[in-house]
């Protein structure tokens, strides 16, 4: 629904030359309206001009694109390349040409949601990595320019740094002299960096400002590095922390470290306990056998999001999790890679019972769920009346078992999204689980389509057309991996080459 004001704004920005001539006569409080209309129509020239002449003290991208009384549409999932480039270039123009009459002090460029299918007319996205590089290069270019603005503009940003943009981002975050743009990093995602680079960029970003920190994939950390990382400034405002695989492994023999083994993990836990706003923790693929209480026990704030997928949890860990303070507050839980119903049936049932009042997303991928487990699984899930998302890919369930499970899922009133595995019937008899990517992709498509149609029919008969079901073979869409796939591939090839060279060197030494 659109107001008459918004329709008028669309008419004005649809003709850039006319908009340029009229802009000085437009009331300042109409600039936000003109901006959203320009973004909707992908009028990049008008967007750049609006930013150059922005008359208000704040420019906040997320709220400007969100629903409003004049336009109910939400444009925050449009990471339109043309529009976002125009925003940053217009911001630079504001500083270079604005003069003393400009009032802009804060430019908040956060709030964009990266999605798989772009709804903007051009269909070309500028992802988080691209937005980071564009902003960083603009900052560096402005550092050498005499700016007309009397005061620097503070830019709030979600930063994604890899080896490919490390140098320019480091220069933007830590300028040598005065800079007309001061970048404040609210969230930081790091990939394909060595530990030294990560620690350096964290010092530049300012740990006291960070709300979200994601250290993923190809950043090789051990527990000693994690201890160093958390010791930098305390992260008092950090809400979400993601660590890469094997982040809690002991440092290699001969590595200098103040502690080792359990004392090192206890030191990390103590640092986490000082983060009073921390409510999201992602530590998948880290070996935590018998250590979960050591890690989570001292935390003072209950966690709302916990990812302990493939952490080799044992009965002691599961018992702690089912009875700890966090269980009653969990909204998102990932327990992938654990044979929950087989090894911990009562504990798993208790955990879901404790989490039921708040739990809205549950992931149980590659948990060894078989046909004989469907009854117990349905019973445990039955208490989760607020559950909206359920993912259980990679489990050897037959079409018949899936139909039974779907019938039970129809009873969950808020469920909206289910990701289910390719039924076991669709693979050659005797196929081993868990599957590698090659084996996973070799299934009978015709048989799968027939079973999938049956499962949708189960939902339709129960009046649950509101539940979306799918089988994303290789996991859900990840915009950050999609955007940097070429760089990550090159990084992995180089790592493989280095490993081969080291192996060859050892062989020669043995000879």
């Amino acid at each position: 629904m659109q107001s008459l004001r918004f329709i008028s704004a669309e008419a004005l920005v649809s003709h850039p030359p006319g908009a340029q001539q009229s802009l000085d006569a437009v009331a300042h409080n109409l600039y936000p309206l003109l901006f959203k209309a320009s973004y909707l129509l992908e009028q990049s020239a008008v967007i750049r001009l609006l930013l150059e002449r922005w008359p208000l003290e704040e420019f906040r991208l997320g709220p400007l694109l969100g629903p409003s009384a004049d336009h109910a549409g939400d444009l925050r999932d449009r990471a339109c390349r043309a529009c976002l480039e125009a925003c940053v270039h217009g911001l630079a123009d504001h500083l270079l040409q604005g003069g003393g009459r400009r009032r802009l002090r804060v430019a908040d460029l956060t709030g964009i949601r990266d999605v798989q299918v772009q709804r903007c007319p051009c269909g070309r996205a500028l992802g988080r990595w691209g937005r980071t590089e564009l902003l960083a290069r603009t900052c560096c270019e402005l550092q050498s320019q005499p700016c007309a603005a009397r005061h620097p503009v503070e830019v709030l940003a979600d930063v994604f740094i890899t080896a490919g943009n490390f140098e320019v981002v480091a220069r933007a975050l830590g300028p040598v002299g005065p800079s007309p743009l001061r970048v404040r990093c609210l969230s930081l995602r790091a990939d394909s960096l060595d530990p030294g680079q990560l620690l350096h960029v964290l010092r530049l970003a300012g740990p006291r400002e960070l709300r979200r920190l994601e250290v993923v994939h190809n950043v090789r950390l051990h527990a000693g590095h994690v201890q160093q990382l958390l010791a930098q400034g305390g992260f008092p405002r950090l809400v979400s922390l993601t660590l890469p695989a094997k982040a809690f492994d002991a440092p290699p023999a001969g590595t200098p470290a103040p502690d080792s083994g359990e004392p090192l993990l206890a030191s990390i836990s103590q640092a986490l306990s000082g983060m009073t706003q921390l409510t999201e923790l992602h530590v998948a693929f880290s070996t935590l056998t018998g250590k979960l209480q050591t890690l989570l026990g001292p935390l003072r704030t209950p966690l709302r999001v916990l990812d302990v997928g493939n952490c080799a949890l044992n009965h002691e860990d599961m018992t702690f999790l089912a009875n700890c303070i966090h269980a009653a507050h969990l909204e998102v839980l990932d327990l992938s890679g654990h044979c929950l119903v087989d090894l911990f049936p009562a504990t798993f049932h208790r955990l879901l019972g404790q989490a039921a009042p708040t739990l809205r997303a549950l992931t149980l991928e590659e948990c060894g769920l078989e046909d004989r487990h469907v009854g117990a699984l349905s019973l445990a899930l039955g208490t989760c009346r607020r559950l909206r998302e359920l993912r259980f890919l990679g489990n050897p369930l037959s079409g018949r078992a899936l139909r039974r499970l779907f019938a039970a899922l129809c009873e969950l009133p808020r469920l909206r999204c289910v990701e289910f595995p390719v039924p076991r019937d669709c693979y050659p008899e005797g196929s081993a689980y868990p599957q590698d990517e090659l084996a996973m992709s070799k299934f009978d498509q015709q048989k799968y389509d027939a079973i999938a149609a049956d499962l949708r029919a189960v939902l339709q008969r129960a009046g649950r057309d509101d539940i979306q079901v799918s089988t994303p073979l290789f996991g859900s869409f990840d915009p950050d991996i999609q955007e940097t796939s070429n760089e990550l591939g090159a990084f992995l090839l180089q790592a493989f080459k280095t490993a081969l060279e080291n192996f060859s060197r050892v062989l020669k030494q043995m000879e």
Side-chain angles (χ1 to χ4, degrees):
M1 195 170 184
Q2 300 178 8
S3 69
L4 184 59
R5 291 201 324 159
F6 193 84
I7 294 171
S8 302
E10 283 186 297
L12 177 61
V13 303
S14 295
H15 302 88
Q20 183 172 3
Q21 294 174 3
S22 307
L23 206 53
D24 285 336
V26 172
H28 292 177
N29 65 346
L30 293 178
Y31 270 67
L33 195 68
L34 292 173
F35 177 80
K36 186 172 184 180
S38 302
Y39 202 98
L40 176 67
L41 300 178
E42 207 175 278
Q43 293 289 348
S44 57
V46 180
I47 289 174
R48 182 166 182 169
L49 187 62
L50 286 167
L51 264 293
E52 179 192 332
R53 302 186 184 182
W54 196 259
L56 308 174
E57 289 191 357
E58 295 185 353
F59 171 83
R60 297 191 181 274
L61 185 58
L64 286 171
L65 297 180
S68 66
D70 290 295
H71 184 268
D74 190 345
L75 307 183
R76 288 173 293 185
D77 59 355
R78 294 192 183 189
C80 175
R81 176 179 291 272
C83 293
L84 293 171
E85 286 179 345
C87 287
V88 176
H89 293 149
L91 186 58
D93 294 341
H94 181 96
L95 292 164
L96 292 171
Q97 303 169 19
R101 58 197 178 98
R102 304 306 176 202
R103 301 174 60 196
L104 184 62
R105 292 185 178 275
V106 177
D108 184 350
L109 302 183
T110 65
I112 293 292
R113 295 190 294 260
D114 295 297
V115 296
Q116 188 167 6
V117 179
Q118 287 297 315
R119 294 189 295 118
C120 56
C122 72
R124 297 172 62 240
L126 186 67
R128 180 159 47 156
W129 189 92
R131 299 195 294 272
T132 298
E133 185 175 45
L134 173 64
L135 176 61
R137 292 197 180 281
T138 303
C139 287
C140 293
E141 290 167 5
L142 289 173
Q143 286 168 13
S144 59
Q145 297 287 335
C147 291
R150 293 180 299 176
H151 54 77
V153 173
E154 188 177 65
V155 183
L156 311 184
D158 296 323
V159 172
F160 182 8
I161 185 167
T162 65
N165 65 0
F166 172 78
E167 294 296 337
V168 68
V169 174
R171 291 202 307 273
L173 290 175
V176 175
S179 177
L181 285 180
R182 292 180 181 170
V183 180
R184 274 185 58 200
C185 182
L186 298 188
S187 76
L188 175 66
R189 179 183 174 98
D191 198 353
S192 304
L193 299 179
D194 64 47
Q197 289 175 315
L198 174 64
L199 293 172
H200 177 64
V201 80
L202 274 174
R203 283 193 291 270
L204 295 176
R208 302 191 70 81
E209 298 287 343
L210 276 178
R211 310 282 178 80
R212 308 182 72 87
L213 175 59
E214 299 174 76
V215 186
V216 298
H217 305 305
N218 296 308
V219 183
R220 310 299 187 194
L221 299 184
H222 54 63
H225 293 136
V226 175
Q227 186 189 45
Q228 285 182 274
L229 183 152
L230 298 182
Q232 289 198 29
F235 299 93
R237 305 180 72 184
L238 198 69
V239 172
S240 176
L241 174 64
T242 300
L243 294 173
K246 301 182 179 180
F248 297 109
D249 285 7
T255 302
D259 297 302
S260 60
E262 290 297 322
L264 192 54
L265 185 63
S267 175
I268 292 169
S269 177
Q270 194 61 36
L272 292 175
S273 71
M275 302 177 191
T276 55
Q277 295 190 35
L278 185 70
T279 57
E280 302 180 15
L281 186 61
H282 305 260
V283 291
F285 293 95
S286 288
T287 304
L288 290 173
T289 310
K291 301 175 182 177
L292 200 61
Q293 183 169 3
T294 302
L295 181 66
L296 303 184
L299 268 59
R300 301 175 188 176
T301 307
L303 293 174
R304 293 188 298 103
V305 178
L306 178 62
D307 181 356
V308 286
N310 297 281
C311 286
L313 302 183
N314 62 15
H315 190 271
E316 177 186 344
D317 299 313
M318 288 297 298
T319 300
F320 165 76
L321 189 57
N323 294 284
C324 69
I325 187 176
H326 308 292
H329 295 83
L330 288 172
E331 297 177 19
V332 179
L333 177 62
D334 190 336
L335 292 169
S336 298
H338 299 99
C339 296
L340 301 164
V341 182
D342 217 12
L343 298 181
F344 324 110
T347 310
F348 175 60
H349 191 283
R350 175 171 173 75
L351 173 59
L352 291 194
Q354 291 287 95
T358 55
L359 192 64
R360 55 181 175 80
L362 177 64
T363 303
L364 303 173
E365 297 180 358
E366 296 187 349
C367 285
L369 296 172
E370 300 178 4
D371 291 12
R372 60 192 175 90
H373 298 135
V374 167
L377 178 62
S378 300
L379 190 63
L381 290 172
T383 61
C384 303
R385 310 290 289 176
R386 293 178 177 269
L387 194 67
R388 294 185 62 86
E389 302 173 17
L390 176 64
R391 297 175 175 85
F392 56 104
L393 300 169
N395 289 290
L397 293 164
S398 69
R400 182 178 179 182
L402 286 169
R403 282 188 284 272
R404 288 172 53 209
L405 181 57
F406 269 54
L409 295 180
C410 290
E411 301 301 318
L412 302 181
R414 299 195 183 184
L415 191 63
R416 295 294 181 271
C417 171
V418 175
E419 291 183 3
F420 68 96
V422 174
R424 192 186 64 214
D425 327 39
C426 302
Y427 290 106
E429 190 173 349
S431 295
Y433 284 81
Q435 301 166 304
D436 58 32
E437 290 190 3
L438 181 61
M440 192 185 304
S441 61
K442 292 183 176 181
F443 62 92
D444 187 325
Q445 183 69 50
Q446 188 173 1
K447 188 176 288 187
Y448 168 80
D449 291 340
I451 294 175
D454 284 347
L455 297 176
R456 290 186 175 90
V458 170
L459 299 178
Q460 289 172 354
R461 286 194 296 271
R464 296 304 308 271
D465 293 350
D466 55 341
I467 301 177
Q468 300 296 315
V469 297
S470 62
T471 305
L473 272 185
F474 306 114
S476 302
F477 174 73
D478 187 322
D480 296 315
I481 292 179
Q482 183 78 15
E483 187 181 16
T484 57
S485 57
N486 290 337
E487 181 183 344
L488 295 182
F491 182 92
L492 290 172
L493 285 174
Q494 181 59 45
F496 183 62
K497 180 183 176 184
T498 302
L500 287 178
E501 289 172 351
N502 292 337
F503 182 64
S504 177
R505 190 180 303 114
V506 171
L507 288 178
K508 288 179 180 179
Q509 290 173 352
M510 291 175 65
E511 291 174 356

